[in-house]
Amino acid sequence: MSVIGPDFISLQVNNLESSAAFYQNFLGLVRSQAGPPHAVVFETKPIAFALRDLTPGVDLASGTQPGLGVALWLYAPDAQEIHDKLVKTGVKITSAPTDGPFGRTFTFADPDGYLITLHSKA
């Protein structure tokens, strides 16, 4: 018996609807009809990605940064275009775009402070 690999990724957020709108409007993610009422699941492939309400006892403000030590990378063929849109609206860019083995790559902070890296080459 063994683990095959990642199958589902979710982030706990302070305001589900506000965070979902951010991911829809800025990253172009599309909501799936699937999912429980306390979560928004997006139509991402090959791994499902979701946002969910905070579970009891979780306080995102209690640490220096939510998800500290975890790297979440999302594939976006138009990473530079998304970067430019985020900059225009004042979203915090924590790592400027660079070109490397994963194409155009940059990191930004989402509304809850999670650091999300976008890259343009799968």
Side-chain angles (χ1 to χ4, degrees), residues 22 26-27 81-93 106 108 118:
F22 174 87
F26 290 106
L27 304 188
E81 191 176 314
I82 293 171
H83 168 271
D84 297 348
K85 185 176 180 180
L86 292 172
V87 167
K88 285 180 185 176
T89 58
V91 172
K92 182 179 178 182
I93 304 299
F106 75 96
F108 66 93
L118 295 186

Side-chain angles (χ1 to χ4, degrees), residues 27-87:
L27 304 188
L29 295 183
V30 176
R31 286 184 191 220
S32 169
Q33 296 303 312
H38 65 274
V40 172
V41 178
F42 296 102
E43 294 180 1
T44 57
K45 293 179 180 164
I47 299 169
F49 175 71
L51 304 172
R52 61 159 293 138
D53 287 329
L54 297 175
T55 56
V58 172
D59 177 6
L60 294 179
S62 66
T64 57
Q65 172 195 326
L68 185 62
V70 174
L72 180 56
W73 288 49
L74 301 175
Y75 170 59
D78 53 354
Q80 183 65 53
E81 191 176 314
I82 293 171
H83 168 271
D84 297 348
K85 185 176 180 180
L86 292 172
V87 167

